[in-house]
Amino acid sequence: MSADLVIVANRLPVDRVTKPDGSVGWRRSPGGLVTAIEPVMRANDGSWIGWPGGTGPDLEPFEADGMHLVPIGMEPEDVSEFYEGFANGTIWPLYHDLVAKPEFHREWWDRFVHVNRRFAEKAAGIASEGGTVWVHDYQLQLVPQMLREMRPDLRIGFYLHIPFPPAELFQQLPWRRQILEGLLGADLVGFQLPGAAQNFVRLVRQRVGHKTHRDTVYLPDGRTVTAKAFPISIDAAGFEQLAQTDAVADRAKAIREALGNPRKIFLGIDRLDYTKGIYARLRAFSELIRDGHFDVEDAVFVQVAVPSREQVEQYRILRDDIDRLVGRINGALGRIGKPAISYLHTSYPREEMAALYRAADIMVVTPYRDGMNLVAKEYVACRLEDDGALVLSEFAGAAEELRQAWLVNPYDINGMKSALLEAYEADDKQLNRRMKAMRKQIRQHDVAAWADSFMLDLSSAENSTHAKSVQPAVRS
Ligand code: G6P
Protein backbone atom coordinates (compact mmCIF):
# COMPACT_ATOMS: atom_id res chain seq x y z
CA MET A 1 0.00 0.00 0.00
CA SER A 2 1.27 3.50 -0.76
CA ALA A 3 0.14 6.77 0.76
CA ASP A 4 0.02 10.35 -0.58
CA LEU A 5 0.52 11.70 2.95
CA VAL A 6 2.82 10.03 5.45
CA ILE A 7 3.22 11.25 9.02
CA VAL A 8 6.48 10.19 10.66
CA ALA A 9 6.73 10.66 14.43
CA ASN A 10 8.65 8.80 17.13
CA ARG A 11 5.41 7.64 18.70
CA LEU A 12 2.25 6.22 17.24
CA PRO A 13 -0.91 7.77 18.70
CA VAL A 14 -1.43 4.52 20.59
CA ASP A 15 0.92 2.49 22.80
CA ARG A 16 0.91 -1.28 22.86
CA VAL A 17 0.28 -2.51 26.40
CA THR A 18 0.23 -6.00 27.85
CA LYS A 19 -2.64 -6.38 30.31
CA PRO A 20 -2.34 -8.33 33.58
CA ASP A 21 -4.06 -11.34 31.96
CA GLY A 22 -1.38 -11.40 29.25
CA SER A 23 -3.62 -10.09 26.45
CA VAL A 24 -2.49 -7.15 24.34
CA GLY A 25 -4.32 -3.82 24.20
CA TRP A 26 -3.75 -0.28 22.97
CA ARG A 27 -3.63 2.90 25.07
CA ARG A 28 -3.42 6.53 23.97
CA SER A 29 0.18 7.82 23.94
CA PRO A 30 1.25 10.68 26.22
CA GLY A 31 2.22 14.21 25.26
CA GLY A 32 1.31 17.19 23.19
CA LEU A 33 2.49 15.91 19.83
CA VAL A 34 -0.04 13.13 19.58
CA THR A 35 -2.82 15.44 20.78
CA ALA A 36 -2.05 17.85 17.96
CA ILE A 37 -1.50 15.48 15.06
CA GLU A 38 -4.39 13.12 15.67
CA PRO A 39 -7.12 15.44 14.36
CA VAL A 40 -4.99 16.20 11.28
CA MET A 41 -4.59 12.49 10.56
CA ARG A 42 -8.29 11.86 10.95
CA ALA A 43 -9.05 14.54 8.39
CA ASN A 44 -6.62 13.05 5.86
CA ASP A 45 -6.33 9.61 4.46
CA GLY A 46 -2.71 9.26 5.48
CA SER A 47 -0.42 6.71 7.09
CA TRP A 48 1.33 7.27 10.41
CA ILE A 49 4.73 5.68 11.02
CA GLY A 50 5.85 5.46 14.66
CA TRP A 51 6.96 3.40 17.63
CA PRO A 52 4.23 1.62 19.61
CA GLY A 53 6.34 1.65 22.82
CA GLY A 54 8.14 -1.30 24.37
CA THR A 55 10.59 -3.55 22.57
CA GLY A 56 10.18 -6.06 19.78
CA PRO A 57 10.24 -6.42 16.01
CA ASP A 58 8.19 -4.29 13.58
CA LEU A 59 4.52 -5.29 13.84
CA GLU A 60 2.22 -5.43 10.83
CA PRO A 61 0.48 -2.17 9.88
CA PHE A 62 -3.05 -1.87 11.29
CA GLU A 63 -6.08 0.39 11.40
CA ALA A 64 -7.11 2.14 14.63
CA ASP A 65 -9.99 4.62 14.87
CA GLY A 66 -9.88 5.15 11.12
CA MET A 67 -6.14 5.79 11.03
CA HIS A 68 -3.63 3.65 9.13
CA LEU A 69 -0.78 2.99 11.55
CA VAL A 70 2.62 1.57 10.63
CA PRO A 71 4.56 0.42 13.71
CA ILE A 72 8.36 0.54 13.95
CA GLY A 73 9.77 -1.81 16.58
CA MET A 74 12.74 -1.01 18.81
CA GLU A 75 15.51 -3.21 20.23
CA PRO A 76 16.39 -2.71 23.90
CA GLU A 77 19.51 -0.78 22.75
CA ASP A 78 17.35 1.49 20.58
CA VAL A 79 15.28 2.36 23.64
CA SER A 80 18.24 2.96 25.92
CA GLU A 81 20.59 4.72 23.48
CA PHE A 82 18.29 6.38 20.93
CA TYR A 83 15.12 7.17 22.94
CA GLU A 84 16.31 7.52 26.54
CA GLY A 85 19.86 8.41 25.48
CA PHE A 86 20.32 10.79 22.58
CA ALA A 87 16.71 11.99 22.24
CA ASN A 88 15.93 12.49 25.93
CA GLY A 89 19.35 12.64 27.60
CA THR A 90 21.07 14.88 25.03
CA ILE A 91 18.68 16.80 22.78
CA TRP A 92 15.77 17.31 25.20
CA PRO A 93 17.76 19.10 27.94
CA LEU A 94 19.95 20.94 25.40
CA TYR A 95 16.94 22.35 23.55
CA HIS A 96 15.24 23.27 26.84
CA ASP A 97 17.83 25.82 27.96
CA LEU A 98 19.98 23.26 29.82
CA VAL A 99 17.37 22.94 32.59
CA ALA A 100 19.18 19.62 33.16
CA LYS A 101 22.69 18.85 31.99
CA PRO A 102 22.80 17.16 28.59
CA GLU A 103 25.10 14.18 28.19
CA PHE A 104 27.15 13.65 25.05
CA HIS A 105 27.97 10.03 24.23
CA ARG A 106 29.23 8.79 20.88
CA GLU A 107 27.38 5.44 21.13
CA TRP A 108 24.12 7.32 21.67
CA TRP A 109 24.77 9.36 18.53
CA ASP A 110 25.52 6.24 16.47
CA ARG A 111 22.23 4.70 17.59
CA PHE A 112 20.41 7.94 16.82
CA VAL A 113 21.69 7.79 13.23
CA HIS A 114 20.73 4.11 12.99
CA VAL A 115 17.15 4.56 14.24
CA ASN A 116 16.59 7.70 12.14
CA ARG A 117 17.64 5.67 9.09
CA ARG A 118 15.09 2.98 9.89
CA PHE A 119 12.31 5.57 10.08
CA ALA A 120 13.49 7.12 6.79
CA GLU A 121 13.57 3.72 5.07
CA LYS A 122 10.09 2.88 6.25
CA ALA A 123 8.73 6.22 4.99
CA ALA A 124 10.55 5.80 1.66
CA GLY A 125 8.87 2.41 1.31
CA ILE A 126 5.30 3.61 1.70
CA ALA A 127 5.13 7.17 0.33
CA SER A 128 3.56 7.31 -3.13
CA GLU A 129 5.38 8.78 -6.13
CA GLY A 130 5.50 12.56 -5.64
CA GLY A 131 3.76 12.21 -2.25
CA THR A 132 4.20 14.28 0.91
CA VAL A 133 5.98 13.20 4.09
CA TRP A 134 5.61 15.21 7.29
CA VAL A 135 8.31 14.38 9.83
CA HIS A 136 7.84 15.37 13.48
CA ASP A 137 10.00 16.39 16.38
CA TYR A 138 13.47 16.25 17.86
CA GLN A 139 13.81 12.47 17.87
CA LEU A 140 13.85 12.38 14.04
CA GLN A 141 15.90 15.39 12.95
CA LEU A 142 18.03 13.37 10.53
CA VAL A 143 15.09 11.81 8.69
CA PRO A 144 14.46 14.68 6.20
CA GLN A 145 17.93 14.48 4.65
CA MET A 146 18.04 10.67 4.66
CA LEU A 147 14.63 10.53 3.03
CA ARG A 148 15.54 13.07 0.38
CA GLU A 149 18.54 11.00 -0.62
CA MET A 150 16.35 7.90 -0.94
CA ARG A 151 13.34 9.62 -2.55
CA PRO A 152 14.12 12.94 -4.26
CA ASP A 153 10.59 12.96 -5.72
CA LEU A 154 8.96 13.62 -2.33
CA ARG A 155 7.82 16.84 -0.76
CA ILE A 156 9.18 16.80 2.80
CA GLY A 157 8.05 18.88 5.76
CA PHE A 158 9.53 18.87 9.25
CA TYR A 159 7.98 20.29 12.42
CA LEU A 160 9.79 20.73 15.73
CA HIS A 161 7.39 20.56 18.68
CA ILE A 162 9.93 21.71 21.25
CA PRO A 163 12.02 24.90 21.44
CA PHE A 164 15.01 25.37 19.14
CA PRO A 165 17.82 26.85 21.23
CA PRO A 166 19.96 29.90 20.58
CA ALA A 167 23.29 29.33 18.81
CA GLU A 168 25.22 29.78 22.08
CA LEU A 169 23.65 26.57 23.45
CA PHE A 170 23.22 24.58 20.24
CA GLN A 171 26.88 24.80 19.37
CA GLN A 172 27.84 22.65 22.34
CA LEU A 173 26.52 19.69 20.39
CA PRO A 174 29.41 17.68 18.89
CA TRP A 175 27.11 16.69 15.98
CA ARG A 176 25.66 20.17 15.39
CA ARG A 177 26.46 20.23 11.68
CA GLN A 178 24.88 16.83 11.01
CA ILE A 179 21.67 17.87 12.77
CA LEU A 180 21.42 21.10 10.77
CA GLU A 181 22.06 19.22 7.53
CA GLY A 182 19.52 16.60 8.53
CA LEU A 183 16.83 19.26 8.90
CA LEU A 184 17.83 20.95 5.63
CA GLY A 185 16.62 17.84 3.81
CA ALA A 186 13.10 19.23 4.27
CA ASP A 187 11.44 21.80 1.98
CA LEU A 188 9.80 23.46 4.97
CA VAL A 189 11.05 23.41 8.57
CA GLY A 190 8.41 24.55 11.05
CA PHE A 191 8.95 25.82 14.60
CA GLN A 192 6.67 26.93 17.43
CA LEU A 193 7.97 30.52 17.56
CA PRO A 194 9.62 33.00 15.17
CA GLY A 195 12.66 33.21 17.48
CA ALA A 196 13.33 29.50 17.02
CA ALA A 197 13.18 29.79 13.22
CA GLN A 198 15.62 32.72 13.43
CA ASN A 199 17.98 30.69 15.63
CA PHE A 200 17.96 27.92 13.04
CA VAL A 201 18.61 30.17 10.03
CA ARG A 202 21.42 31.95 11.86
CA LEU A 203 23.05 28.63 12.76
CA VAL A 204 22.78 27.37 9.19
CA ARG A 205 24.55 30.50 7.97
CA GLN A 206 27.26 30.37 10.60
CA ARG A 207 27.87 26.64 10.89
CA VAL A 208 27.04 25.22 7.46
CA GLY A 209 27.90 28.32 5.47
CA HIS A 210 24.79 28.48 3.28
CA LYS A 211 23.42 31.74 1.99
CA THR A 212 20.24 32.85 3.78
CA HIS A 213 17.76 35.68 3.42
CA ARG A 214 15.05 36.17 6.05
CA ASP A 215 13.30 32.78 6.36
CA THR A 216 14.92 31.18 3.31
CA VAL A 217 18.08 29.08 3.05
CA TYR A 218 19.71 28.76 -0.40
CA LEU A 219 21.49 25.45 -0.94
CA PRO A 220 24.35 25.06 -3.43
CA ASP A 221 22.29 22.62 -5.57
CA GLY A 222 19.64 25.29 -6.21
CA ARG A 223 17.14 23.98 -3.68
CA THR A 224 15.67 26.34 -1.11
CA VAL A 225 14.46 25.56 2.42
CA THR A 226 12.00 27.75 4.31
CA ALA A 227 12.18 28.02 8.12
CA LYS A 228 9.08 29.52 9.68
CA ALA A 229 6.97 29.62 12.83
CA PHE A 230 3.64 27.79 13.00
CA PRO A 231 2.43 27.98 16.64
CA ILE A 232 0.64 24.73 17.37
CA SER A 233 -2.78 24.58 18.97
CA ILE A 234 -5.61 22.31 20.09
CA ASP A 235 -8.95 21.08 18.81
CA ALA A 236 -10.67 23.99 20.56
CA ALA A 237 -14.20 23.19 19.40
CA GLY A 238 -13.78 19.53 20.36
CA PHE A 239 -12.67 20.44 23.87
CA GLU A 240 -15.45 22.97 24.25
CA GLN A 241 -18.05 20.39 23.20
CA LEU A 242 -16.63 17.84 25.57
CA ALA A 243 -16.65 20.34 28.43
CA GLN A 244 -20.33 21.06 27.73
CA THR A 245 -21.50 17.48 28.19
CA ASP A 246 -23.54 16.60 31.28
CA ALA A 247 -21.09 13.85 32.14
CA VAL A 248 -18.19 16.31 32.34
CA ALA A 249 -20.25 18.93 34.20
CA ASP A 250 -21.35 16.32 36.76
CA ARG A 251 -17.84 15.01 37.15
CA ALA A 252 -16.50 18.55 37.70
CA LYS A 253 -19.05 19.02 40.47
CA ALA A 254 -18.13 15.70 42.02
CA ILE A 255 -14.44 16.65 41.98
CA ARG A 256 -15.16 19.90 43.82
CA GLU A 257 -17.24 18.04 46.38
CA ALA A 258 -14.59 15.38 46.90
CA LEU A 259 -12.13 18.19 47.62
CA GLY A 260 -14.50 19.60 50.27
CA ASN A 261 -15.88 22.47 48.14
CA PRO A 262 -12.98 24.84 48.87
CA ARG A 263 -13.20 28.48 47.85
CA LYS A 264 -10.56 28.06 45.15
CA ILE A 265 -9.01 25.06 43.44
CA PHE A 266 -5.55 25.44 41.90
CA LEU A 267 -4.62 22.91 39.22
CA GLY A 268 -1.44 21.71 37.54
CA ILE A 269 -1.37 18.98 34.88
CA ASP A 270 1.98 18.06 33.38
CA ARG A 271 4.07 15.16 32.24
CA LEU A 272 6.40 14.58 35.19
CA ASP A 273 9.28 16.42 33.55
CA TYR A 274 11.99 18.66 35.03
CA THR A 275 11.25 21.33 32.40
CA LYS A 276 7.75 21.87 33.78
CA GLY A 277 8.64 23.70 36.99
CA ILE A 278 6.37 21.59 39.20
CA TYR A 279 8.61 21.75 42.26
CA ALA A 280 8.88 25.54 42.28
CA ARG A 281 5.14 26.07 41.77
CA LEU A 282 4.22 23.77 44.68
CA ARG A 283 6.68 25.58 46.89
CA ALA A 284 5.23 28.96 45.94
CA PHE A 285 1.71 27.73 46.70
CA SER A 286 2.68 26.21 50.03
CA GLU A 287 4.45 29.38 51.12
CA LEU A 288 1.23 31.34 50.56
CA ILE A 289 -0.48 29.05 53.08
CA ARG A 290 2.47 29.17 55.45
CA ASP A 291 2.51 32.98 55.28
CA GLY A 292 -1.20 33.05 56.13
CA HIS A 293 -2.58 34.43 52.85
CA PHE A 294 -5.07 31.60 52.78
CA ASP A 295 -5.78 28.34 54.55
CA VAL A 296 -6.21 24.69 53.55
CA GLU A 297 -9.94 25.24 54.17
CA ASP A 298 -9.94 27.92 51.45
CA ALA A 299 -7.70 26.43 48.81
CA VAL A 300 -6.22 23.19 47.56
CA PHE A 301 -3.69 22.49 44.83
CA VAL A 302 -4.47 19.50 42.63
CA GLN A 303 -1.32 18.39 40.85
CA VAL A 304 -1.60 15.66 38.23
CA ALA A 305 1.83 14.36 37.19
CA VAL A 306 1.69 12.05 34.20
CA PRO A 307 4.38 9.33 34.40
CA SER A 308 7.04 9.92 31.74
CA ARG A 309 10.46 8.54 30.68
CA GLU A 310 10.72 6.66 33.94
CA GLN A 311 13.94 4.85 33.08
CA VAL A 312 15.85 8.12 32.63
CA GLU A 313 17.73 9.01 35.80
CA GLN A 314 16.87 12.71 35.85
CA TYR A 315 13.18 11.77 35.78
CA ARG A 316 13.53 9.31 38.66
CA ILE A 317 15.30 11.93 40.73
CA LEU A 318 12.55 14.44 39.97
CA ARG A 319 9.85 11.96 40.98
CA ASP A 320 11.52 11.36 44.34
CA ASP A 321 12.00 15.10 44.88
CA ILE A 322 8.32 15.83 44.21
CA ASP A 323 7.16 12.90 46.38
CA ARG A 324 9.24 14.24 49.26
CA LEU A 325 8.13 17.83 48.76
CA VAL A 326 4.43 16.93 48.67
CA GLY A 327 4.85 14.78 51.79
CA ARG A 328 6.62 17.56 53.60
CA ILE A 329 4.09 20.24 52.64
CA ASN A 330 1.09 18.10 53.53
CA GLY A 331 2.74 16.98 56.76
CA ALA A 332 3.37 20.57 57.81
CA LEU A 333 0.25 22.35 56.53
CA GLY A 334 -2.51 19.77 56.02
CA ARG A 335 -5.31 18.87 58.41
CA ILE A 336 -7.27 15.65 58.67
CA GLY A 337 -9.06 15.18 55.35
CA LYS A 338 -7.57 18.48 54.10
CA PRO A 339 -4.22 18.13 52.39
CA ALA A 340 -2.70 21.31 50.95
CA ILE A 341 -1.75 19.40 47.81
CA SER A 342 -3.74 16.61 46.24
CA TYR A 343 -1.08 14.79 44.24
CA LEU A 344 -1.87 12.22 41.55
CA HIS A 345 0.88 10.36 39.71
CA THR A 346 -1.17 9.03 36.82
CA SER A 347 -2.61 9.85 33.41
CA TYR A 348 -6.26 10.56 32.68
CA PRO A 349 -8.49 10.34 29.63
CA ARG A 350 -9.66 13.56 27.94
CA GLU A 351 -13.04 13.50 29.73
CA GLU A 352 -11.43 13.55 33.17
CA MET A 353 -9.04 16.29 32.07
CA ALA A 354 -11.97 18.37 30.85
CA ALA A 355 -13.73 17.84 34.19
CA LEU A 356 -10.60 18.94 36.07
CA TYR A 357 -10.32 22.04 33.88
CA ARG A 358 -13.96 22.87 34.59
CA ALA A 359 -13.52 22.28 38.31
CA ALA A 360 -10.37 24.40 38.69
CA ASP A 361 -10.41 28.14 39.42
CA ILE A 362 -6.74 28.76 38.80
CA MET A 363 -4.67 26.81 36.27
CA VAL A 364 -0.96 26.95 37.00
CA VAL A 365 1.44 26.31 34.10
CA THR A 366 5.00 27.26 35.04
CA PRO A 367 7.59 25.55 32.83
CA TYR A 368 11.20 26.77 32.76
CA ARG A 369 11.02 26.26 29.01
CA ASP A 370 8.26 24.76 26.88
CA GLY A 371 7.75 24.68 23.11
CA MET A 372 4.08 25.65 23.42
CA ASN A 373 2.16 23.94 26.28
CA LEU A 374 -1.20 22.71 25.11
CA VAL A 375 -2.56 22.20 28.65
CA ALA A 376 -2.77 25.99 29.02
CA LYS A 377 -4.81 26.18 25.81
CA GLU A 378 -7.04 23.26 26.81
CA TYR A 379 -7.89 24.96 30.09
CA VAL A 380 -8.91 28.13 28.26
CA ALA A 381 -11.05 26.15 25.79
CA CYS A 382 -12.93 24.46 28.66
CA ARG A 383 -13.85 27.70 30.53
CA LEU A 384 -17.32 27.93 29.06
CA GLU A 385 -18.41 30.74 31.41
CA ASP A 386 -15.40 32.94 30.58
CA ASP A 387 -14.19 32.59 34.16
CA GLY A 388 -11.14 31.04 35.80
CA ALA A 389 -7.55 32.32 35.87
CA LEU A 390 -4.45 31.16 34.04
CA VAL A 391 -1.03 31.63 35.64
CA LEU A 392 1.45 31.03 32.84
CA SER A 393 5.21 31.01 32.50
CA GLU A 394 6.76 33.60 30.20
CA PHE A 395 8.95 30.78 28.94
CA ALA A 396 6.14 28.68 27.48
CA GLY A 397 5.46 29.27 23.79
CA ALA A 398 1.79 29.78 24.68
CA ALA A 399 2.70 33.03 26.48
CA GLU A 400 3.14 34.74 23.09
CA GLU A 401 -0.57 34.21 22.39
CA LEU A 402 -2.15 34.17 25.85
CA ARG A 403 -1.10 37.66 26.89
CA GLN A 404 -4.02 38.06 29.30
CA ALA A 405 -2.76 35.29 31.57
CA TRP A 406 -0.89 36.15 34.77
CA LEU A 407 2.58 35.83 33.24
CA VAL A 408 5.33 34.70 35.58
CA ASN A 409 9.03 33.97 35.64
CA PRO A 410 9.21 30.47 37.17
CA TYR A 411 12.71 31.10 38.52
CA ASP A 412 11.29 33.90 40.68
CA ILE A 413 9.42 32.26 43.56
CA ASN A 414 8.29 35.53 45.11
CA GLY A 415 7.02 36.73 41.74
CA MET A 416 5.08 33.49 41.37
CA LYS A 417 3.62 33.89 44.83
CA SER A 418 2.35 37.37 43.97
CA ALA A 419 0.80 36.15 40.72
CA LEU A 420 -0.89 33.17 42.40
CA LEU A 421 -2.27 35.46 45.07
CA GLU A 422 -3.50 38.04 42.56
CA ALA A 423 -5.23 35.30 40.59
CA TYR A 424 -6.75 34.01 43.84
CA GLU A 425 -8.07 37.43 44.75
CA ALA A 426 -9.10 38.65 41.28
CA ASP A 427 -12.72 39.77 40.95
CA ASP A 428 -15.15 38.28 38.43
CA LYS A 429 -14.97 41.26 36.13
CA GLN A 430 -11.23 40.99 35.74
CA LEU A 431 -11.30 37.23 35.27
CA ASN A 432 -13.99 37.61 32.68
CA ARG A 433 -12.17 40.21 30.67
CA ARG A 434 -8.96 38.20 30.58
CA MET A 435 -10.55 34.85 29.80
CA LYS A 436 -12.77 36.22 27.05
CA ALA A 437 -9.77 37.56 25.17
CA MET A 438 -7.86 34.29 25.56
CA ARG A 439 -10.83 32.21 24.43
CA LYS A 440 -11.15 34.29 21.30
CA GLN A 441 -7.50 33.70 20.47
CA ILE A 442 -7.77 29.92 20.95
CA ARG A 443 -10.97 29.64 18.92
CA GLN A 444 -9.46 31.50 16.00
CA HIS A 445 -6.16 29.66 16.07
CA ASP A 446 -7.00 26.00 16.48
CA VAL A 447 -5.10 22.91 15.45
CA ALA A 448 -6.88 22.67 12.10
CA ALA A 449 -5.71 26.19 11.24
CA TRP A 450 -2.19 25.22 12.30
CA ALA A 451 -2.12 22.12 10.10
CA ASP A 452 -3.74 23.92 7.17
CA SER A 453 -1.18 26.70 7.20
CA PHE A 454 1.74 24.25 7.43
CA MET A 455 0.33 22.10 4.62
CA LEU A 456 -0.39 25.11 2.45
CA ASP A 457 3.16 26.38 2.75
CA LEU A 458 4.53 22.91 2.17
CA SER A 459 2.45 22.36 -0.92
CA SER A 460 3.71 25.59 -2.41
CA ALA A 461 7.35 24.57 -1.95
CA GLU A 462 8.80 24.77 -5.45
CA ASN A 463 11.61 22.30 -5.17
CA SER A 464 10.04 18.93 -5.66
CA THR A 465 9.26 19.07 -9.34
CA HIS A 466 7.27 15.84 -9.42
CA ALA A 467 5.34 16.43 -6.24
CA LYS A 468 1.56 16.02 -6.27
CA SER A 469 -0.40 18.65 -4.41
CA VAL A 470 -1.86 17.55 -1.09
CA GLN A 471 -5.20 18.63 0.25
CA PRO A 472 -4.89 20.79 3.35
CA ALA A 473 -6.37 19.21 6.47
CA VAL A 474 -10.12 19.65 6.46
CA ARG A 475 -11.80 20.82 9.61
CA SER A 476 -13.25 18.00 11.66
C1 G6P B 1 6.60 15.99 24.11
C2 G6P B 1 7.39 15.76 22.83
C3 G6P B 1 6.83 14.57 22.05
C4 G6P B 1 6.74 13.37 22.96
C5 G6P B 1 5.91 13.70 24.20
C6 G6P B 1 5.81 12.53 25.19
O1 G6P B 1 5.32 16.44 23.80
O2 G6P B 1 7.40 16.91 22.03
O3 G6P B 1 7.66 14.26 20.94
O4 G6P B 1 6.18 12.27 22.29
O5 G6P B 1 6.51 14.80 24.87
O6 G6P B 1 7.07 12.06 25.54
P1 G6P B 1 7.51 10.56 25.26
O7 G6P B 1 8.97 10.53 25.55
O8 G6P B 1 6.69 9.75 26.21
O9 G6P B 1 7.18 10.24 23.83
Side-chain angles (χ1 to χ4, degrees):
M1 196 208 130
S2 76
D4 289 348
L5 173 66
V6 179
I7 301 280
V8 188
N10 183 50
R11 275 193 190 274
L12 284 178
V14 287
D15 265 359
R16 192 167 193 265
V17 285
T18 310
K19 297 183 194 151
D21 65 1
S23 65
V24 168
W26 296 94
R27 185 184 54 203
R28 196 187 155 77
S29 304
L33 182 151
V34 166
T35 316
I37 311 297
E38 206 184 301
V40 182
M41 265 297 285
R42 286 185 190 291
N44 284 273
D45 206 10
S47 292
W48 183 324
I49 299 176
W51 171 50
T55 55
D58 290 5
L59 301 169
E60 284 302 308
F62 63 101
E63 303 283 325
D65 285 349
M67 294 184 284
H68 185 70
L69 306 184
V70 184
I72 289 214
M74 291 210 198
E75 307 280 327
E77 293 75 25
D78 295 338
V79 174
S80 61
E81 295 177 356
F82 158 76
Y83 170 69
E84 291 160 3
F86 200 81
N88 289 309
T90 307
I91 300 278
W92 180 268
L94 180 68
Y95 282 28
H96 285 90
D97 271 7
L98 308 186
V99 173
K101 196 168 160 41
E103 290 183 37
F104 303 119
H105 298 297
R106 284 165 288 181
E107 325 75 80
W108 288 5
W109 165 255
D110 292 343
R111 187 61 66 163
F112 186 72
V113 176
H114 168 78
V115 174
N116 270 251
R117 191 169 302 283
R118 289 192 45 230
F119 275 84
E121 282 164 356
K122 189 69 101 181
I126 62 170
S128 62
E129 178 69 25
T132 295
V133 178
W134 191 1
V135 183
H136 290 268
D137 229 358
Y138 62 100
Q139 305 93 339
L140 301 177
Q141 293 176 90
L142 303 179
V143 170
Q145 186 195 31
M146 291 172 169
L147 191 55
R148 182 162 299 280
E149 278 165 15
M150 296 172 200
R151 293 283 308 272
D153 59 299
L154 298 175
R155 220 183 264 276
I156 303 172
F158 180 90
Y159 188 79
L160 186 71
H161 292 253
I162 70 172
F164 191 80
E168 291 69 20
L169 300 184
F170 185 82
Q171 53 214 14
Q172 289 186 6
L173 192 65
W175 308 277
R176 57 201 181 189
R177 191 181 170 119
Q178 289 95 314
I179 295 277
L180 296 171
E181 285 176 343
L183 294 171
L184 288 172
D187 297 299
L188 175 64
V189 184
F191 298 89
Q192 300 280 19
L193 302 180
Q198 285 154 14
N199 290 343
F200 174 72
V201 172
R202 182 175 155 216
L203 271 157
V204 165
R205 196 170 53 241
Q206 289 175 343
R207 291 281 152 203
V208 197
H210 293 322
K211 221 177 125 231
T212 67
H213 179 64
R214 301 220 172 120
D215 60 6
T216 308
V217 178
Y218 299 88
L219 303 184
D221 65 2
R223 225 165 45 82
T224 57
V225 180
T226 306
K228 229 177 116 176
F230 299 86
I232 205 165
S233 195
I234 57 162
D235 175 11
F239 259 99
E240 205 169 318
Q241 273 166 23
L242 182 64
Q244 271 164 3
T245 59
D246 290 345
V248 167
D250 292 348
R251 178 66 193 139
K253 220 166 140 226
I255 290 171
R256 288 198 76 98
E257 267 162 30
L259 292 166
N261 279 319
R263 225 184 114 216
K264 299 274 174 178
I265 296 173
F266 291 75
L267 175 65
I269 303 183
D270 315 78
R271 271 187 315 101
L272 188 46
D273 193 296
Y274 50 78
T275 59
K276 302 289 184 184
I278 301 170
Y279 194 96
R281 98 172 55 128
L282 295 180
R283 266 191 64 194
F285 172 78
S286 70
E287 286 186 18
L288 288 171
I289 299 180
R290 187 201 63 192
D291 300 348
H293 292 288
F294 45 73
D295 194 63
V296 287
E297 305 288 336
D298 303 320
V300 62
F301 200 118
V302 177
Q303 176 66 52
V304 178
V306 179
S308 186
R309 305 176 193 164
E310 292 186 288
Q311 303 310 315
V312 179
E313 199 195 349
Q314 304 265 24
Y315 289 76
R316 290 177 192 251
I317 295 172
L318 175 73
R319 183 174 179 193
D320 288 345
D321 287 348
I322 303 273
D323 281 352
R324 263 197 303 273
L325 180 70
V326 170
R328 212 167 45 227
I329 293 172
N330 283 341
L333 303 172
R335 304 219 185 98
I336 287 179
K338 294 263 172 209
I341 297 168
S342 181
Y343 178 61
L344 304 142
H345 181 247
T346 184
S347 71
Y348 287 123
R350 258 163 58 101
E351 291 72 21
E352 183 72 0
M353 301 269 280
L356 283 162
Y357 294 139
R358 279 205 66 171
D361 302 285
I362 301 152
M363 183 79 210
V364 191
V365 182
T366 56
Y368 294 119
R369 182 59 73 191
D370 210 331
M372 176 55 65
N373 198 293
L374 297 182
V375 161
K377 292 189 171 181
E378 287 171 4
Y379 177 71
V380 168
C382 289
R383 302 309 300 182
L384 307 171
E385 323 279 330
D386 291 331
D387 59 357
L390 175 64
V391 176
L392 178 62
S393 165
E394 291 165 24
F395 306 131
E400 294 212 357
E401 291 174 74
L402 303 176
R403 305 305 298 172
Q404 297 78 11
W406 271 268
L407 294 176
V408 295
N409 169 1
Y411 293 96
D412 171 11
I413 302 261
N414 283 346
M416 273 205 289
K417 285 170 71 175
S418 312
L420 291 174
L421 194 58
E422 269 183 40
Y424 178 88
E425 287 171 347
D427 62 30
D428 291 350
K429 213 168 132 210
Q430 191 185 167
L431 293 172
N432 215 252
R433 181 182 55 77
R434 290 179 182 243
M435 188 55 76
K436 251 202 174 104
M438 293 195 285
R439 286 175 62 73
K440 189 167 164 213
Q441 169 72 22
I442 300 295
R443 271 208 205 104
Q444 287 174 350
H445 302 272
D446 66 357
V447 71
W450 168 77
D452 284 356
S453 65
F454 187 91
M455 282 300 197
L456 203 66
D457 277 24
L458 181 57
S459 63
S460 61
E462 284 163 16
N463 301 305
S464 325
T465 41
H466 311 296
K468 292 179 193 165
S469 69
V470 167
Q471 293 302 312
V474 283
R475 257 153 229 281
S476 48

